[in-house]
Amino acid sequence: MVVDCKDERSLSTMPLTMPHCVAPDMNMLSIVNLLQDGVTANKGGHIAIVCIDSIAANAALEKNEPIPHSCDVIGIVTLENCIEVLIQEEIYDETDHQEKKDDERARWALAKWRTFVEKRRDAKATMVEFDDVVDEATRLV
């Protein structure tokens, strides 16, 4: 959908696209295929709602009703999420700058922590060896 910012359209004038509802045990490849299909008859897109009872949830959306609580909505999944899982790598886009910085900071902190733990472990190993030497010397006295 292309919207010209000069039109000053309100959100209520935009057509709604109902997402698909999928079961949590749905095959990843099936979800990718479903989300790649795009929008047909105002249903679809690159996002799906994950529900325990996805059949009842889809039926409610078809009737323009809210998803009933009994369907147990447990989350959402996007096409980007699926691709990240399949390629086993994070996808960063123009809105993920802070997330990327946070990830880099977390990796740096983890590396520092590992270095600290290794030094601490080495120091304890040296102390154990020193304690053994001291024990042997005190036995001789």
Side-chain angles (χ1 to χ4, degrees):
M1 175 187 324
V2 178
V3 178
D4 187 358
C5 63
K6 295 173 190 164
D7 290 344
E8 296 184 12
R9 274 177 83 174
S10 66
L11 187 59
S12 62
T13 64
M14 304 286 194
L16 287 178
T17 302
M18 295 291 174
H20 292 287
C21 292
V22 297
D25 59 351
M26 188 172 183
N27 180 305
M28 180 66 69
L29 189 57
S30 298
I31 294 174
V32 169
N33 288 334
L34 180 70
L35 297 178
Q36 280 182 324
D37 285 342
V39 179
T40 55
N42 284 341
K43 181 131 178 122
H46 293 162
I47 191 169
I49 300 173
V50 183
C51 303
I52 299 296
D53 187 358
S54 59
I55 295 170
N58 277 315
L61 290 177
E62 291 293 327
K63 297 177 197 172
N64 287 328
E65 295 175 358
I67 297 173
H69 290 288
S70 61
C71 294
D72 293 325
V73 174
I74 57 174
I76 61 169
V77 64
T78 65
L79 183 58
E80 182 177 329
N81 296 140
C82 295
I83 292 171
E84 287 175 340
V85 169
L86 291 173
I87 66 172
Q88 297 181 355
E89 195 167 306
E90 185 78 20
I91 297 173
Y92 294 104
D93 57 24
E94 62 277 358
T95 61
D96 293 332
H97 294 298
Q98 186 61 43
E99 184 179 343
K100 190 172 184 177
K101 286 180 184 177
D102 292 344
D103 286 349
E104 289 170 357
R105 189 175 298 123
R107 278 193 287 279
W108 175 83
L110 181 61
K112 288 290 190 184
W113 177 251
R114 285 183 177 156
T115 302
F116 170 77
V117 169
E118 288 170 8
K119 286 181 180 178
R120 188 81 184 227
R121 193 177 302 140
D122 292 345
K124 281 187 177 183
T126 304
M127 290 299 282
V128 169
E129 291 171 9
F130 179 73
D131 288 343
D132 291 343
V133 170
V134 170
D135 286 344
E136 289 175 17
T138 55
R139 284 189 208 135
L140 296 174
V141 174

